[in-house]
Amino acid sequence: MNVREQAQIAKKAALRLMTTSSRERDGALVAMADALVERTGEILAANALDMEAARGAGRPAAMLDRLSLNAARVEAMAEGLRKVAALADPIGGEDFSLKRPNGLSIGCRRVPLGVVGIIYEARPNVTADAAGLCIKSANACVLRGGREALNSNAAIVNVLTGAVSGGVFDGAIQLLCDDSREGAAEMMKLNGLIDVLIPRGGASLIKSVVQNATVPVIETGVGNCHVYVDASADIGMAADIVFNAKCSRPSVCNAMETLLVNSAVAKTALPAIAERLKAKNVELRGCERTRAILPGALPASEEDWTCEYLDYILAIKVVDSVDEAIDHINRYGTMHSESIVTADYANAERFLDRVDAAAVYVNASTRFSDGEEFGFGAEIGISTQKLHARGPMGLKALTTIKYVVRGNGQTR
Amino acid sequence: MNVREQAQIAKKAALRLMTTSSRERDGALVAMADALVERTGEILAANALDMEAARGAGRPAAMLDRLSLNAARVEAMAEGLRKVAALADPIGGEDFSLKRPNGLSIGCRRVPLGVVGIIYEARPNVTADAAGLCIKSANACVLRGGREALNSNAAIVNVLTGAVSGGVFDGAIQLLCDDSREGAAEMMKLNGLIDVLIPRGGASLIKSVVQNATVPVIETGVGNCHVYVDASADIGMAADIVFNAKCSRPSVCNAMETLLVNSAVAKTALPAIAERLKAKNVELRGCERTRAILPGALPASEEDWTCEYLDYILAIKVVDSVDEAIDHINRYGTMHSESIVTADYANAERFLDRVDAAAVYVNASTRFSDGEEFGFGAEIGISTQKLHARGPMGLKALTTIKYVVRGNGQTR
């Protein structure tokens, strides 16, 4: 089947899914979870083929780790589906309703987006995760995973769809058969069939989707996050937050990449922070003023201010005011997550008001930008655009609205 | 100045506008309104140049009408700005806030989008209207109007910006100096500078923006709207609604284009409706079963089911059930506005649940799909996409959110 045919099947399924009850959808998710566990053997056999090919092609260890499945990882996928099933239904309620002077009653009802396209890398767990979130929110999905995971993804989708076949969910989960680059390019232009595309993965994947798609896109993920240590900061708190934001998981988008320190406290704060970062051998790249205080730091170039290292590397710049910090962040940041450490009320509010980012923090680590940490229960990704969804996206990001208008013969 | 330079100025202005109070913004709008009235002479002189050129180029009468300004039209623009100033501020409130178990307080704050790009046709009133809505919502804007209106638009923007120059609003309203096609194409790809593009105009303009933009777009406007007359419909009500939906203003996107009639009432409903439509000499194009009842109707082709006539033309199809009507609408509609006329509870709910459109009506005209009619006070357009905004867009569609997180040293 070609890409368009699969999207057409998904669209038909989406029109049926619109009217499913949450009981039906949650039941489907539990059945899918059970099937994943029962049929673990099939999935691992398919994954072994992918792993063998990836090893043969000399893929890097990090990719092999993301690609590889075992019984515990399959069980984790199943557990993820059960958790999503237990969340509140995002569909069918009304954001508001109003009555007009002419008697028309207007309700703003939450409805599914329709067909959600997801383009991702060679991580088979995303297949179950994305399909589960779409089913929960009554959306059909078209999945295009990394080619290295094709056998694993096909086995997972086969198990998921097998668990609910012969009913309203038929056709709702489409894994692209055509795994060519042309297939992905075609998927990005299926206006009228795919309602939204969500790329999940690295910066180059996301950029390619943003550049090439004509279907509406939700841009996710790239995070050049900053922590600014204000003149009034508690230095111990600043060191804790910087250490956590940089080192607790450097490979993720909410990890910090650049430290900004007020010149009034740089001489005490920088050595204290550098001392903490030694535990993880973090490479420091500083401006001239930083290097005068930390002679071990390498010189930072203009490129360092824009870089998402995703590694144990930290750029450091000394600034003279909260406004200089704000300007730096608004200039070089990716509007993801930004934090100020301060004891000063006016500077805290100024930072919250003026930094243009999805999540802005006072005295907390940027690492909290996460659907689970925000209490949303599930996360589809972290939007770095301003349209439709911004920051950690819960199930609501997979919905839209429909105005439901009830009259008794009104004309205009 | 080139397109990128103007967008950069707008972006700088947007960062300043973020922190303006509604009192400042509303004051600016009133000052702009006053200036439009005071300097009407300048605007009309510039418009006369555009009109002369357009007449010389043999432009159609409808375009000349949209292009032409007079004192009353300038006063109407000013009145529009005053009305927008009087609306509630869409910025600064919180959609929700919550406290996490670790003590973090998370607020979901409404903030401006940033820089809004608007591409429109040769209608100078849109210049004041769009600029006003952007200022109200604390956004900067980059305007690209139809080339035929360049002198008029330049005069209007000159008056608007002159009314608030030397302050926080400097640079906030940018009318593209480069009015070439290449300029518009460049504008559509200014990711990082323009946060959203809204095309306002005909189907071909909108399609061109959707196809070419890499900046997020809100698709507006195209409406292939239907009225379905159910077996249980009150025929008098059906005739009133069809007449209103087709004839009250055929050139707008919420006007109906296709009538669907249940076969059980076609023999009584179709003649009654046709009789009403005679008053406006509406051309009827019917399916075979329609033509058996209304021999005067022309034969409808497949193309008629997809066509947005925007004229006194109506396609008619006889269907056998509410489900056939729903399927037809979901297949051929543009997800704009759809109405059922019925006395049957189950069919009304079925239609509301299953038709996939921005606004779905029971026993009311599709012509109500409008920001003013919905009580939103102002309208930026009617979105026919599902992302970010759907249906009539009020000021909220020009906002996004920012998570404001307050802690006291939390790490993860």
Side-chain angles (χ1 to χ4, degrees):
Chain A
M1 250 186 316
N2 68 33
V3 176
R4 174 172 290 273
E5 285 163 349
Q6 288 193 273
Q8 282 165 336
I9 292 170
K11 172 143 193 178
K12 275 191 187 164
L15 290 170
R16 287 195 309 271
L17 282 169
M18 278 199 318
T19 55
T20 51
S21 67
S22 64
R23 187 171 290 168
E24 285 173 282
R25 283 179 266 124
D26 294 344
L29 290 169
V30 172
M32 289 174 180
D34 292 345
L36 282 177
V37 176
E38 275 163 33
R39 297 171 65 180
T40 297
E42 282 173 52
I43 295 169
L44 297 187
N47 185 247
L49 296 176
D50 287 334
M51 287 298 288
E52 197 184 318
R55 278 198 205 94
R59 299 293 183 189
M63 183 197 257
L64 292 176
D65 177 55
R66 288 193 297 265
L67 179 57
S68 107
L69 293 177
N70 55 37
R73 285 186 173 187
V74 174
E75 174 58 42
M77 281 190 229
E79 199 42 44
L81 293 179
R82 289 193 193 98
K83 248 180 89 176
V84 168
L87 295 174
D89 186 8
I91 297 298
E94 290 187 349
D95 284 8
F96 63 88
S97 66
L98 51 89
K99 191 99 173 180
R100 296 294 299 153
N102 61 5
L104 280 182
S105 138
I106 301 179
C108 178
R109 185 190 284 183
R110 279 280 147 198
V111 297
L113 283 168
V115 178
V116 177
I118 301 175
I119 299 187
Y120 52 105
E121 292 169 340
R123 300 179 65 159
N125 64 311
V126 173
T127 304
D129 183 33
L133 293 168
C134 287
I135 293 294
K136 175 73 187 184
S137 50
N139 288 294
C141 59
V142 177
L143 306 175
R144 206 276 185 184
R147 300 170 77 166
E148 299 83 356
L150 190 63
N151 290 297
S152 312
N153 289 338
I156 291 166
V157 168
N158 194 36
V159 169
L160 295 178
T161 56
V164 293
S165 71
V168 72
F169 297 101
D170 277 358
I173 304 172
Q174 295 292 322
L175 177 71
L176 285 200
C177 304
D178 176 354
D179 72 337
S180 67
R181 274 177 185 278
E182 294 71 29
E186 190 182 351
M187 179 180 172
M188 295 183 207
K189 295 186 190 296
L190 289 178
N191 299 63
L193 290 176
I194 293 181
D195 293 289
V196 58
L197 258 184
I198 306 177
R200 282 179 64 157
S204 67
L205 169 70
I206 291 163
K207 190 171 176 190
S208 155
V209 173
V210 168
Q211 293 296 318
N212 295 304
T214 55
V215 168
V217 171
I218 301 180
E219 196 173 342
T220 64
V222 178
N224 177 18
C225 305
H226 303 70
V227 174
Y228 164 60
V229 178
D230 195 27
S232 62
D234 176 310
I235 303 297
M237 185 195 287
D240 286 348
I241 287 173
V242 169
F243 181 77
N244 182 262
K246 179 71 254 178
C247 301
S248 59
R249 204 169 164 202
S251 64
V252 293
C253 60
N254 58 20
M256 84 180 280
E257 306 294 1
T258 297
L259 169 66
L260 303 170
V261 179
N262 191 290
S263 52
V265 287
K267 274 184 193 155
T268 50
L270 282 176
I273 290 167
E275 184 61 31
R276 283 296 297 279
L277 296 176
K278 261 189 196 159
K280 294 286 183 181
N281 284 318
V282 176
E283 178 182 319
L284 306 181
R285 302 186 187 176
C287 65
E288 283 309 307
R289 292 163 85 185
T290 299
R291 297 182 67 224
I293 301 167
L294 301 175
L298 302 170
S301 67
E302 177 76 9
E303 207 195 338
D304 285 294
W305 310 135
T306 62
C307 200
E308 190 189 22
Y309 302 119
L310 299 173
D311 202 348
Y312 289 103
I313 304 172
L314 181 67
I316 309 179
K317 182 175 176 144
V318 174
V319 296
D320 287 320
S321 65
V322 65
D323 281 349
E324 193 184 338
I326 293 167
D327 289 347
H328 182 98
I329 292 168
N330 284 342
R331 177 164 176 197
Y332 295 106
T334 54
M335 303 198 298
H336 193 298
S337 300
E338 311 295 349
S339 181
I340 182 174
V341 186
T342 189
D344 185 287
Y345 171 78
N347 286 355
E349 297 301 320
R350 197 170 177 85
F351 191 87
L352 292 175
D353 287 347
R354 292 175 186 246
V355 168
D356 186 21
V360 193
Y361 295 82
V362 177
N363 295 342
S365 170
T366 56
R367 291 275 291 112
F368 286 108
S369 288
D370 173 276
E372 295 272 349
E373 293 293 333
F374 273 33
F376 298 164
E379 183 187 286
I380 304 111
I382 298 181
S383 165
T384 51
Q385 72 180 32
K386 293 180 174 178
L387 225 59
H388 186 70
R390 196 177 192 198
M393 295 189 285
L395 286 168
K396 193 180 174 188
L398 292 178
T399 70
T400 182
I401 56 142
K402 171 203 275 190
Y403 288 104
V404 168
V405 187
R406 296 167 197 267
N408 48 21
Q410 281 85 347
T411 56
R412 184 176 169 191
Chain B
M1 251 186 314
N2 69 32
V3 175
R4 174 171 290 273
E5 285 162 350
Q6 287 194 274
Q8 282 164 336
I9 292 171
K11 174 148 191 178
K12 276 192 187 163
L15 291 171
R16 287 195 310 271
L17 282 170
M18 278 199 319
T19 55
T20 51
S21 67
S22 64
R23 187 171 291 167
E24 286 173 282
R25 284 179 266 123
D26 294 344
L29 291 169
V30 172
M32 289 174 181
D34 291 346
L36 282 177
V37 176
E38 274 162 33
R39 298 170 65 180
T40 298
E42 282 172 52
I43 295 169
L44 296 187
N47 185 246
L49 296 175
D50 287 334
M51 287 297 289
E52 196 186 318
R55 278 199 205 94
R59 300 292 183 189
M63 183 198 256
L64 293 176
D65 178 54
R66 288 193 296 264
L67 180 58
S68 108
L69 292 177
N70 54 38
R73 287 187 173 184
V74 174
E75 173 58 43
M77 283 188 225
E79 198 43 43
L81 294 179
R82 290 194 192 99
K83 249 179 88 176
V84 168
L87 294 173
D89 185 8
I91 298 297
E94 289 188 349
D95 284 9
F96 63 87
S97 66
L98 51 87
K99 190 100 173 179
R100 295 294 300 154
N102 60 4
L104 279 183
S105 138
I106 302 179
C108 179
R109 185 190 284 184
R110 280 279 148 200
V111 297
L113 283 168
V115 179
V116 177
I118 301 175
I119 299 187
Y120 53 105
E121 292 168 341
R123 300 179 65 159
N125 64 310
V126 173
T127 305
D129 183 32
L133 294 166
C134 287
I135 293 294
K136 175 75 188 184
S137 49
N139 289 292
C141 59
V142 177
L143 306 175
R144 205 277 186 184
R147 302 171 75 166
E148 300 83 356
L150 189 65
N151 291 297
S152 312
N153 289 338
I156 291 166
V157 168
N158 193 36
V159 169
L160 296 178
T161 55
V164 292
S165 70
V168 73
F169 298 100
D170 277 358
I173 304 171
Q174 295 292 322
L175 176 71
L176 285 199
C177 303
D178 176 354
D179 72 336
S180 67
R181 275 178 185 279
E182 294 70 30
E186 191 181 351
M187 178 179 171
M188 295 183 208
K189 296 188 191 295
L190 289 178
N191 299 63
L193 290 176
I194 293 182
D195 293 289
V196 57
L197 258 184
I198 306 177
R200 283 178 63 158
S204 68
L205 169 71
I206 291 163
K207 191 171 175 190
S208 156
V209 173
V210 168
Q211 292 296 317
N212 296 305
T214 55
V215 169
V217 171
I218 301 181
E219 195 174 341
T220 64
V222 179
N224 177 19
C225 305
H226 302 71
V227 174
Y228 165 60
V229 178
D230 194 29
S232 62
D234 176 309
I235 303 297
M237 185 195 287
D240 286 348
I241 287 174
V242 169
F243 181 77
N244 183 261
K246 180 70 253 179
C247 300
S248 59
R249 203 168 165 201
S251 64
V252 293
C253 60
N254 58 19
M256 83 179 282
E257 305 294 1
T258 297
L259 169 67
L260 303 170
V261 180
N262 191 288
S263 53
V265 287
K267 275 186 191 151
T268 50
L270 282 177
I273 290 167
E275 184 61 30
R276 284 296 297 279
L277 297 175
K278 262 190 197 162
K280 294 287 184 180
N281 284 316
V282 176
E283 178 182 318
L284 305 180
R285 301 186 187 176
C287 66
E288 283 309 307
R289 292 162 85 185
T290 300
R291 297 182 69 223
I293 299 167
L294 300 175
L298 301 170
S301 68
E302 177 77 8
E303 206 195 339
D304 284 296
W305 309 135
T306 61
C307 201
E308 190 190 22
Y309 301 119
L310 299 174
D311 202 348
Y312 290 103
I313 305 173
L314 182 67
I316 308 178
K317 184 174 178 153
V318 174
V319 296
D320 288 321
S321 66
V322 65
D323 281 350
E324 193 184 338
I326 292 167
D327 289 347
H328 182 97
I329 292 169
N330 284 342
R331 178 165 176 197
Y332 295 106
T334 54
M335 304 198 297
H336 194 297
S337 300
E338 312 294 350
S339 181
I340 181 175
V341 185
T342 188
D344 185 288
Y345 171 78
N347 286 356
E349 296 302 318
R350 197 170 177 87
F351 191 88
L352 291 176
D353 287 347
R354 293 177 185 244
V355 168
D356 186 21
V360 194
Y361 294 83
V362 176
N363 295 342
S365 170
T366 56
R367 291 275 290 110
F368 286 108
S369 288
D370 173 275
E372 296 271 349
E373 293 293 334
F374 272 33
F376 298 164
E379 184 188 287
I380 304 110
I382 297 181
S383 164
T384 51
Q385 73 181 31
K386 292 178 175 179
L387 224 59
H388 186 69
R390 196 178 194 199
M393 296 189 283
L395 286 168
K396 193 181 173 186
L398 292 178
T399 71
T400 182
I401 56 142
K402 170 203 273 190
Y403 289 104
V404 169
V405 187
R406 296 167 197 269
N408 48 21
Q410 282 84 350
T411 56
R412 184 177 169 190

